[in-house]
């Protein structure tokens, strides 16, 4: 039986005026409005939170302060971020260098200029002992003078400033060596016999020290302290004369060290914040070295040139 249009309209009107149906529709409309408001509010909060994180992790913090470090592989951290005890030589060719005294080697000599191979060997070993004793031994690194190594030098052959500069010192109350990794070193030692029969040794070595703050540690992430790297390079000639080593031409430089510190005293490593600030202040003041590890580079004559490198 077909339903007349007039009857259908009348039935809809009757249902619309039914109190039970009207209340159900009202509750439904209210619930939908509440969902819309809550959804919009959540979106606003999400955007606000993301914006706060973005501002806090990029524009509002210095470039040397890491963000989300625990969820980012340290191997891909930006250059400005701190080095840590987990990867003290991150982003540096030093990671592949030999460690400690094993990196300092003397060439195998041949008899030359009236001097036997044994005589030349003795001179080369004295030079090696001088380098190891002043740059790698535990005593000078903790502030104790390496008397045995310095005793190899002719005291009249070098002024006091050069003798002091020959020794790498740190203040044990400020920093200590990251012992697990150790000091990395690389360089060359060559010799010749002069017309007078003296053995003349030319040395060019760099030493890179990974250092951790003493006392209260500065953790980059919980349980992972920060490391500073100091690089010291020395170029010199040494002549064996009368059983002593006589210093000739001498030049040295130290990188990533507080250049305002007194010369001849302990080196003051720059950690991430100081390293970044020194780079900002150094423009137009200090020599910014494009390639700290250029083996062909000749240093400026004289001891203790403090430089601000692009990296250590």
């Amino acid at each position: 039986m077909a339903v007349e249009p007039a009857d259908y309209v009348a039935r809809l009107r009757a249902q619309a005026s039914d109190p039970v149906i009207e209340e159900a529709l009202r509750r439904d409309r209210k619930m939908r409005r509440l969902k819309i408001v809550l959804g919009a509010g959540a979106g606003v909060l999400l955007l606000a939170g993301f914006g706060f994180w973005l501002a806090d992790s990029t524009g509002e913090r210095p470039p040397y302060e890491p963000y989300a470090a625990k969820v980012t592989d340290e191997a891909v951290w930006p250059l400005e971020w701190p080095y840590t005890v987990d990867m003290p030589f991150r982003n540096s060719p030093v990671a592949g260098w030999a460690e400690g005294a094993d990196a300092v080697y003397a060439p195998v000599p041949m008899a030359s200029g009236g001097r036997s191979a044994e005589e030349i060997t003795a001179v080369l070993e004295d030079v090696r002992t001088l380098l190891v004793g002043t740059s790698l031994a535990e005593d000078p690194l903790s502030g104790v003078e390496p008397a045995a190594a310095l005793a190899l030098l002719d005291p009249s052959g070098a002024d006091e400033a050069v003798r002091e500069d020959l020794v790498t010192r740190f203040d044990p109350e400020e920093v200590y060596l990251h012992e697990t990794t150790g000091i990395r070193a690389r360089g060359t030692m060559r010799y010749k016999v002069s017309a007078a029969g003296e053995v003349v040794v030319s040395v060019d070595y760099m030493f890179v020290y990974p250092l951790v703050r003493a006392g209260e540690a500065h953790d980059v992430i919980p349980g992972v302290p920060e490391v500073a790297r100091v690089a010291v390079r020395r170029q010199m000639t040494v002549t064996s004369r009368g059983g002593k080593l006589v210093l000739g031409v001498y030049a040295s430089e130290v990188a990533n060290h507080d250049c305002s510190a007194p010369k001849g005293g302990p080196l003051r490593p720059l950690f991430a914040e100081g390293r970044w600030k020194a780079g900002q202040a150094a423009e137009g003041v200090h020599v910014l070295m494009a390639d700290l590890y250029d083996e062909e580079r000749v240093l400026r004559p004289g001891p203790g040139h403090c430089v601000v490198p692009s990296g250590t």
Side-chain angles (χ1 to χ4, degrees), residues 89 92-99 184-186:
F89 295 123
S92 174
V94 175
W97 289 10
E99 178 184 344
R184 300 299 172 92
R186 187 172 182 174

Side-chain angles (χ1 to χ4, degrees), residues 68-98:
K70 289 191 290 186
V71 298
T72 308
D73 191 329
E74 187 170 343
V76 298
W77 284 7
L79 290 172
E80 296 85 0
W81 285 16
Y83 312 123
T84 77
V85 294
D86 288 345
M87 295 189 70
F89 295 123
R90 186 184 84 244
N91 300 326
S92 174
V94 175
W97 289 10

Side-chain angles (χ1 to χ4, degrees), residues 111-216:
S112 175
R115 305 299 296 268
S116 68
E118 290 75 14
E119 290 175 317
I120 297 173
T121 295
V123 175
L124 294 176
E125 283 301 319
D126 281 349
V127 175
R128 182 179 183 276
T129 299
L130 177 66
L131 287 175
V132 171
T134 55
S135 301
L136 295 168
E138 182 177 348
D139 281 354
L141 296 178
S142 60
V144 179
E145 181 174 294
L150 292 176
L152 295 169
L153 291 172
D154 183 341
S156 64
D159 60 31
E160 189 61 28
V162 171
R163 287 175 62 87
E164 288 183 350
D165 188 76
L166 268 171
V167 182
T168 302
R169 301 179 179 88
F170 297 101
D171 186 342
E173 295 186 359
E174 293 182 358
V175 293
Y176 63 89
L177 188 68
H178 178 33
E179 296 178 355
T180 304
T181 302
I183 306 163
R184 300 299 172 92
R186 187 172 182 174
T188 58
M189 186 188 302
R190 300 182 176 92
Y191 76 93
K192 66 179 181 180
V193 179
S194 70
E198 296 175 330
V199 180
V200 181
V201 184
S202 299
V203 172
D204 182 359
Y205 258 91
M206 177 181 284
F207 306 91
V208 182
Y209 304 86
L211 300 151
V212 184
R213 284 188 179 94
E216 185 177 353

Side-chain angles (χ1 to χ4, degrees), residues 208-230:
V208 182
Y209 304 86
L211 300 151
V212 184
R213 284 188 179 94
E216 185 177 353
H218 180 78
D219 291 353
V220 180
I221 57 178
V224 183
E226 184 180 355
V227 164
R229 301 193 301 238
V230 170

